[in-house]
């Protein structure tokens, strides 16, 4: 049985925990919350450290030095990170779902994740280049495919 099916999130090693990230980059997008309805909206305005074409952080190991507000996903805070997309492996396992069929741990590469439309690569704009973030609300990051 795969480790993500037989272990709880708290039982996983650091290496196992890190390998759960599918590399979609959706968590690197700016989000908006409606003041009245508290509804969450994703935008295509990406963190300044994101490589927009490759769809991943350009300096993952030192990201907190450049973006102090970046959030590290941990077993202690996963419950509160309700803004993570439904497709996120951490959210999926936390709510009792399995990893999707396109996940790199199941397929051996990121190709199926990209083909499933999960990657932000090539779909985003750097947050430093946008004027009105409300013009950048998009629905595609909410897509969740089995
Ligand atoms: S949303 Fe989840 S799976 Fe996707 S890059 Fe962020 S932490 Fe990794």
């Amino acid at each position: 049985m795969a480790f993500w099916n037989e272990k709880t999130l708290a039982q996983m090693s650091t290496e196992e925990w890190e390998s759960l990230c599918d590399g979609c980059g959706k968590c690197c997008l700016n989000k908006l919350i409606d003041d009245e309805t508290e509804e969450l909206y994703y935008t295509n305005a990406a963190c300044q450290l994101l490589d927009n074409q490759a769809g991943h952080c350009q300096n993952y190991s030192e990201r907190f030095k450049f973006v102090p507000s970046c959030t590290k996903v941990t077993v202690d805070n996963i419950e509160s990170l309700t803004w993570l997309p439904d497709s996120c492996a951490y959210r999926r396992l936390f709510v009792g779902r399995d990893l999707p069929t396109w996940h790199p741990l199941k397929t051996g590469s990121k190709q199926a994740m990209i083909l499933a439309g999960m990657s932000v690569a090539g779909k985003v704009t750097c947050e430093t280049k946008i004027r009105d973030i409300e013009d950048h609300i998009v629905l595609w990051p909410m897509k969740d495919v089995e």
Side-chain angles (χ1 to χ4, degrees), residues 38-56:
E38 295 190 3
E39 193 158 351
L40 175 77
Y41 294 95
Y42 268 81
T43 74
N44 62 3
C47 170
Q48 59 188 291
L49 266 193
L50 191 83
D51 180 323
N52 294 348
Q53 289 311 310
H56 59 66

Side-chain angles (χ1 to χ4, degrees), residues 5-96:
N5 291 134
E6 65 181 6
K7 290 184 177 183
T8 66
L9 290 174
Q11 290 171 332
M12 292 181 190
S13 67
T14 302
E15 189 181 22
E16 288 169 339
W17 177 269
E18 290 293 321
S19 73
L20 290 178
C21 176
D22 60 43
C24 69
K26 292 180 188 176
C27 55
C28 306
L29 302 178
N30 283 273
K31 275 85 60 188
L32 298 173
I33 294 178
D34 187 303
D35 288 340
E36 291 171 8
T37 65
E38 295 190 3
E39 193 158 351
L40 175 77
Y41 294 95
Y42 268 81
T43 74
N44 62 3
C47 170
Q48 59 188 291
L49 266 193
L50 191 83
D51 180 323
N52 294 348
Q53 289 311 310
H56 59 66
C57 185
Q58 298 179 74
N59 199 343
Y60 186 73
S61 61
E62 293 189 298
R63 64 197 189 282
F64 296 108
K65 196 160 99 185
F66 299 100
V67 183
S69 60
C70 181
T71 301
K72 182 177 173 65
V73 181
T74 71
V75 71
D76 294 322
N77 67 9
I78 184 63
E79 184 174 10
S80 66
L81 302 182
T82 53
W83 47 263
L84 282 169
D86 289 344
S87 62
C88 174
Y90 299 104
R91 285 300 300 171
R92 289 181 68 114
L93 294 181
F94 177 74
V95 299

